[in-house]
């Protein structure tokens, strides 16, 4: 039981919930007015291939998760195809 609780505590620290992340992002935006300017954000994205790749990856993951939640049976197919396409 102690090991499980330790693991849960670790996971909670290592992987913050969406609400916690949302709060951190909101505070960062409030503290940095440049983050409210769409042109500055667009310029930053266009000038950083790494950021572009990470944003695409995040949007892809979020899209798949949304489909899996809304259409639960599709989640099985998505996971099967993902496992098939990923190299072992």
């Amino acid at each position: 039981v102690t090991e499980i609780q330790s693991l849960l505590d670790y996971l909670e620290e290592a992987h913050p919930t969406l609400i916690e992340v949302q709060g951190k992002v909101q505070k960062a935006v409030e503290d940095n007015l440049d983050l409210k300017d769409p042109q500055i954000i667009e310029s930053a994205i266009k000038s950083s291939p790494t950021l572009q790749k990470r944003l695409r990856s995040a949007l892809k993951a979020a899209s798949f998760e949304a489909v899996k939640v809304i259409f639960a049976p599709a989640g099985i197919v998505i996971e099967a195809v993902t496992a098939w396409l990923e190299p072992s």
Side-chain angles (χ1 to χ4, degrees):
V1 175
T2 305
E3 289 178 29
I4 293 172
Q5 187 60 48
S6 296
L7 178 59
L8 291 173
D9 292 342
Y10 166 76
L11 290 173
E12 187 175 325
E13 285 179 27
H15 304 284
T17 65
L18 180 59
I19 293 170
E20 291 171 343
V21 171
Q22 232 174 356
K24 290 178 183 180
V25 169
Q26 184 175 1
K27 181 167 178 12
V29 170
E30 290 169 358
D31 292 347
N32 187 344
L33 296 178
D34 288 344
L35 293 176
K36 292 184 179 183
D37 185 346
Q39 291 175 335
I40 291 174
I41 294 170
E42 184 178 351
S43 174
I45 293 169
K46 284 182 177 180
S47 66
S48 174
T50 302
L51 181 57
Q52 290 175 14
K53 185 177 179 181
R54 292 181 75 184
L55 285 171
R56 276 192 205 104
S57 178
L59 289 172
K60 179 180 168 185
S63 298
F64 283 147
E65 289 304 315
V67 169
K68 289 186 329 188
V69 168
I70 295 169
F71 305 105
I76 297 167
V77 175
I78 290 171
E79 290 300 319
V81 170
T82 301
W84 178 267
L85 295 175
E86 288 180 359
S88 298

